[in-house]
Amino acid sequence: MLNFNNICANQLIEAEAQSWDHILSYLRPSCIKCAIQLGIPDILHKNVNPIMSLSDLIAALPNLNPSKTTFIPILMRVLVDFGLFKYHQQQGDGYSLTSVGRLLVENDLSGKRSFFLFAQHPVVLNTASSVGDWLRDDLPTAFETAHGKSHWDYCGEEPEFNGVFNDAMAGDSRLISNLLITDCCAGVFEGLTSLVDIGGGTGAVAMAIAEAFPRLKCIVLDLPHVIGDRKGSGNLEFVAGSMFDKIPHANAILLKWILHNWDDEDCVKLLKKCKESIPSKKNGGKVIIIDIVMEDYCSNEHLVQSQHLMDLLMRITYASKERTEKEWEKLFLDAGFSGYKIITSLGLRSLIEIYP
């Protein structure tokens, strides 16, 4: 009986610990955002020595009110708990960047800094806090419940938010760009002479591909308010337009994190448009998709949880979803494609080649 009570007590304590973690978790992104705003990851990254003392760190912080200096070790303590920094007690109470903290350095190739700032934008946070209200109304997304219009309409009408969103997409594209031109994926572009990056935003991916493959003509297709006055040069071109209206003809079409923004009907419609714009499989035509394949190809617990949360985000923001391999296959067949191949080397996402 005593052992049973001990087990119950231990379970209760563990449950309470988890509940406190959930209760206080709202502070985690706020502290990380604060670190970015203060420039702490950048200061540690630029420091000559790998370990920086607390006093030197405080002295390097710009515009810090002198009365707030005593808060910095408190902030750093929780950021160490979050895994952003490492604390070196025996080396002068110093701090160093971890691999996670390195991802928040400005202009880091991972793009996580800009994506994190986008995720903490009030427009995005208001959408998340409106899920309960959305479940009781008849609007298609929680974004519309919170803001009265779709995400895409909001981007078109609000330049500040549109800029933050595009920065996040461009930051993420820097990571994908580097992966695409490495050995694990570079073979995807072999034999191609032209490629259209649909929804390519500010052109980060297309620029990297164009530079790595000088004989490959790259076209970025996106909406007019995204393209702006960008003209391109050399083997890179920007074209303003809707992907549902007309897609320039090319050997291949690239859809990076596009299809998960749309429901099945729109995805099939877009894939059919893509099929019309590429040659036959025999003549090298294909569509290259970078998107999540839910769970099937992901053994990392953190990535699986991120996939689940990304699926939730797509549903409340765009009335769309992430897809399993079977769901992807159905889209491809419904759009008239003959086959596909999945390359699982992009972490959270996979690269899928589909053939007409």
Side-chain angles (χ1 to χ4, degrees):
M1 188 67 178
L2 180 61
N3 289 336
F4 176 76
N5 287 335
N6 285 340
I7 292 173
C8 288
N10 289 337
Q11 290 175 338
L12 178 60
I13 291 170
E14 176 60 26
E16 187 192 31
Q18 290 186 32
S19 68
W20 274 119
D21 182 64
H22 295 317
I23 290 167
L24 297 173
S25 63
Y26 76 97
L27 291 169
R28 186 176 290 115
S30 297
C31 291
I32 297 173
K33 182 179 179 181
C34 177
I36 293 174
Q37 291 172 327
L38 290 173
I40 294 176
D42 303 284
I43 291 170
L44 291 176
H45 177 63
K46 294 174 182 176
N47 192 46
V48 175
N49 298 315
I51 300 174
M52 191 173 195
S53 69
L54 177 62
S55 59
D56 287 344
L57 175 61
I58 290 174
L61 295 175
N63 304 318
L64 180 67
N65 189 295
S67 67
K68 304 299 194 308
T69 56
T70 56
F71 180 74
I72 299 305
I74 308 303
L75 176 64
M76 294 300 292
R77 181 172 62 191
V78 298
L79 294 171
V80 167
D81 291 340
F82 301 160
L84 269 68
F85 310 123
K86 186 175 181 180
Y87 177 54
H88 303 269
Q89 185 176 13
Q90 297 179 346
Q91 294 168 280
D93 290 339
Y95 298 92
S96 63
L97 271 177
T98 64
S99 56
V100 178
R102 178 68 177 77
L103 301 182
L104 299 178
V105 171
E106 189 172 14
N107 296 324
D108 180 77
L109 292 178
S110 74
K112 288 298 176 289
R113 176 191 177 106
S114 56
F115 221 109
F116 182 87
L117 292 175
F118 165 71
Q120 289 303 296
H121 194 283
V123 170
V124 177
L125 296 178
N126 287 341
T127 300
S129 66
S130 298
V131 172
D133 294 330
W134 167 63
L135 290 172
R136 294 189 291 270
D137 66 31
D138 61 353
L139 293 172
T141 66
F143 193 98
E144 288 164 89
T145 298
H147 306 291
K149 60 190 72 173
S150 73
H151 175 272
W152 303 118
D153 287 342
Y154 197 96
C155 283
E157 297 171 15
E158 300 292 339
E160 185 272 335
F161 178 70
N162 183 58
V164 174
F165 175 70
N166 286 334
D167 284 346
M169 295 303 104
D172 179 70
S173 293
R174 286 196 295 271
L175 170 64
I176 293 298
S177 301
N178 280 273
L179 292 172
L180 283 178
I181 60 178
T182 57
D183 293 339
C184 64
C185 295
V188 170
F189 304 103
E190 288 182 3
L192 297 180
T193 58
S194 57
L195 176 140
V196 178
D197 183 4
I198 292 181
T202 56
V205 172
M207 287 179 193
I209 295 173
E211 184 177 353
F213 304 95
R215 297 182 180 180
L216 177 58
K217 180 182 179 181
C218 296
I219 300 171
V220 178
L221 174 69
D222 215 317
L223 295 171
H225 71 266
V226 177
I227 296 296
D229 59 358
R230 294 178 175 86
K231 301 298 181 184
S233 61
N235 60 328
L236 177 66
E237 179 184 354
F238 287 87
V239 174
S242 170
M243 59 189 179
F244 289 106
D245 292 336
K246 184 179 180 181
I247 298 173
H249 289 275
N251 290 143
I253 306 290
L254 175 63
L255 294 164
K256 172 197 164 289
W257 240 4
I258 299 297
L259 295 177
H260 76 158
N261 292 326
W262 302 94
D263 62 24
D264 290 351
E265 182 180 351
D266 283 328
C267 283
V268 170
K269 187 186 303 182
L270 176 56
L271 287 170
K272 286 181 176 179
K273 283 281 185 183
C274 292
K275 190 169 181 289
E276 294 171 358
S277 298
I278 58 175
S280 65
K281 180 181 178 181
K282 179 181 178 181
N283 292 318
K286 62 182 174 181
V287 176
I288 304 165
I289 298 168
I290 298 172
D291 237 313
I292 287 174
V293 180
M294 287 285 286
E295 299 183 27
D296 298 19
Y297 293 93
C298 190
S299 59
N300 184 298
E301 181 181 349
H302 293 295
L303 289 180
V304 170
Q305 290 177 3
S306 296
Q307 288 183 347
H308 293 167
L309 287 171
M310 190 65 72
D311 183 41
L312 185 148
L313 176 64
M314 292 301 103
R315 292 172 190 269
I316 68 173
T317 307
Y318 307 104
S320 60
K321 62 182 179 180
E322 304 296 351
R323 295 175 172 90
T324 64
E325 182 178 353
K326 288 184 178 179
E327 290 173 317
W328 280 118
E329 183 179 38
K330 186 177 186 307
L331 287 185
F332 305 152
L333 293 176
D334 288 349
F337 286 85
S338 62
Y340 67 93
K341 179 174 70 174
I342 296 176
I343 300 173
T344 60
S345 54
L346 299 179
L348 183 70
R349 290 157 288 190
S350 295
L351 186 147
I352 311 171
E353 289 183 274
I354 59 174
Y355 314 105

